Amino acid sequence: MAEALLELAGVHTHIGRYHIVQGADIAVPAGGLTMLLGRNGAGKTTTLRTIMGLWRASAGHVRFDGRDIAALATPDVARLGIAYVPESMGVFASLTVKENMVLAARDRALNDARLAWIFRLFPALERFWLLPAGALSGGQKQMLSIARALIEPRRLLLVDEPTKGLAPAIIDMLIEAFQELKRVRTTVLLVEQNFRVARALGDTVAVMDDGRIVHAGAMAALADDEALQQRLLGLSLASHQ
Amino acid sequence: MRVSLDRMGDLLPAALPVLLMLLALPLIGSPSAWVTLTAAGLAMGMMIFIMASGLTLIFGLMDVLNFGHGAFISIGAYVATLVLLPLAGWTQADALGWNLAALVPALLAAMAATGALGLVFERVVVRPVYGQHLKQILVTMGGLIVAEQLLAALWGPNQIALPLPAALRGSIVLGDAAIEKYRLIAVIVGLAVFVAMLAILNRTKLGLLIRAGVENGEMVEALGYRVRRLFVAVFAAGSALAGLGGVMWALYRESVTAGMGLEVMILVFIVVIVGGLGSVGGCFLGSVLVALLANYTGFLAPKLALGSNILLMVAILMWRPQGLYPVGKG
Ligand SMILES: Nc1ncnc2c1ncn2[C@@H]1O[C@H](COP(=O)(O)OP(=O)(O)OP(=O)(O)O)[C@@H](O)[C@H]1O
Ligand SMILES: [Mg+2]
């Protein structure tokens, strides 16, 4: 297996007096797509927010390319090349699609070739380019949120439940987009509840429960082992198949 | 005008001032009185807008309730007297050129001083109480009171007369109606500030960041920008605008007092709330509404003048609990 680009070792996160992440160990191999699965409330979102520095880890290490980033401020984490697609999408509703993308490109001008590639993945964004992002549908907002993470080459993508609440056809479109990302060897840590998506995309998988990683390994192995799925994820996930 | 009219073509609030003007005409009866009152209302509205516009962005960006904003209004006015009073010969010469030669440096000095003090105030008073609303109210209120006392100690407790420059006095007569020149100037300056703010907010990267930050500061940080730094810049600019508004307000009243900032802060807060916290366009409309209403009721039913604005706020919040142009917090 390729060397880990991102590595969480014994990470704990407290929110107020609640102990949410309780010693998580996760390795995200470079160039692959790692799934982070787990029941509602397992601590997946909190884990991604901790990586981004939106919550501060109270113990443990978050290593990115060998460097401990647990104490960095969020903008500095982002500028290391880590892009974040939050569960709430974080689309700026009063800004146009274009303006959302301009901010995501940071100091650089929008790159035409890259934009053409993004429009091929998500044609709706081209159609609504100059419309306020608040006017987009839920699926289109999700596409915009992912597109923002792609507008410049980033080293790692953290994506939180992109298929939540979307119709199957839109989910298929997102699956195709992530497959394209895999072809160009983008490193991704993807949180999902939808097992069909996980099966289609994951190279490796980590399963979280109650703030701990309870299983880690190859996605294919988990996909083939229904008993293990049942034990780790229960019916809620398995029923998505 | 995407900022004011951004909520997908929601034009209804923008029509309110016009409705108010049309409604007032038959009540007032005399067209000339109506013109004078409307001009006074618009002028006052523009000055309130200048004072309030920074405050709404300060709140929108960092959720900071800054009662200390009123201090910059008073301080701006006092700093302007430091330039205008020694140059009384220039301001009282009946030549626009000489008047401006005194006025422009006075405005710049007031804005520079309040902008710089804004930076200090943000760091010393506001920063320690981020995210704690109750403490913010107490501490920034305290800052305002301390600033007022300092002004009174430095300049004495009496009000200082600040005569309008000679060329800005007098009225323009339109048929039966007279419009004070200074009111016209206030409207022009207010509109210029509004247009400039819209241009910055809609056409520059900095403006995009401010608007994005008002909606969802956390996401702006996750994209790699320091919202804190942005906020400090907005805080300083907002304080400088309060200083500018303070000078204009003082010239309007032709006097400067330490308490003037606190007095006008009530109206400033009303327009910020009415407009929708964080919305520059809403703040602009709110300012015009509040000032028009104050002038109309001041003429029709003087006893109701202050109460009318509270009523206006209640009515608008019952219609739109988040203000005229709510800013969607992501
Ligand atoms: N801001 C917060 N304050 C208090 N508790 C929180 C906060 N955010 C999350 N939690 C709690 O932390 C636990 C983990 O939440 P988290 O959002 O990380 O779970 P998740 O795995 O992403 O769940 P889901 O699949 O529903 O998104 C939950 O019990 C949640 O209630
Ligand atoms: Mg979650």
Side-chain angles (χ1 to χ4, degrees), chain A residues 49 52 54 74-76 78-79 84 86 90-95 99 102-104 106-107 132 148, chain B residues 2 6-8 202 205 208-209 211-213 215-227:
Chain A
R49 288 178 59 86
M52 281 312 291
L54 292 165
T74 300
D76 298 325
R79 280 176 189 267
Y84 180 46
V91 160
F92 304 119
S94 73
L95 274 59
E99 289 167 339
V102 165
L103 288 190
R106 286 208 279 269
D107 321 311
R148 282 194 313 202
Chain B
R2 222 164 37 235
D6 50 0
R7 299 300 135 190
M8 277 118 246
N202 288 327
K205 179 99 181 257
L208 287 189
L209 279 171
R211 287 165 57 206
E215 264 194 56
N216 186 344
E218 200 169 70
M219 192 64 221
V220 173
E221 296 237 296
L223 289 179
Y225 302 94
R226 293 179 182 284
V227 171

Side-chain angles (χ1 to χ4, degrees), chain A residues 69-106:
Chain A
I69 61 167
L72 289 190
T74 300
D76 298 325
V77 174
R79 280 176 189 267
L80 290 175
I82 303 183
Y84 180 46
V85 180
E87 196 170 2
S88 57
M89 301 182 284
V91 160
F92 304 119
S94 73
L95 274 59
T96 63
V97 171
K98 178 184 178 184
E99 289 167 339
N100 269 273
M101 297 291 276
V102 165
L103 288 190
R106 286 208 279 269

Side-chain angles (χ1 to χ4, degrees), chain B residues 84 87-100 102-103 162-171 181-182 185 251 254:
Chain B
L84 290 175
L87 295 179
W90 295 11
T91 64
Q92 296 318 312
D94 198 1
L96 185 60
W98 284 111
N99 291 174
L100 290 179
L103 198 53
L162 186 65
L164 258 182
L168 308 186
R169 296 175 168 280
S171 304
K181 276 190 210 164
Y182 185 67
I185 293 168
L251 284 168
E254 301 201 73

Side-chain angles (χ1 to χ4, degrees), chain A residues 44-45 87 160-161:
Chain A
K44 308 179 295 293
T45 296
E87 196 170 2
D160 200 346
E161 284 201 59

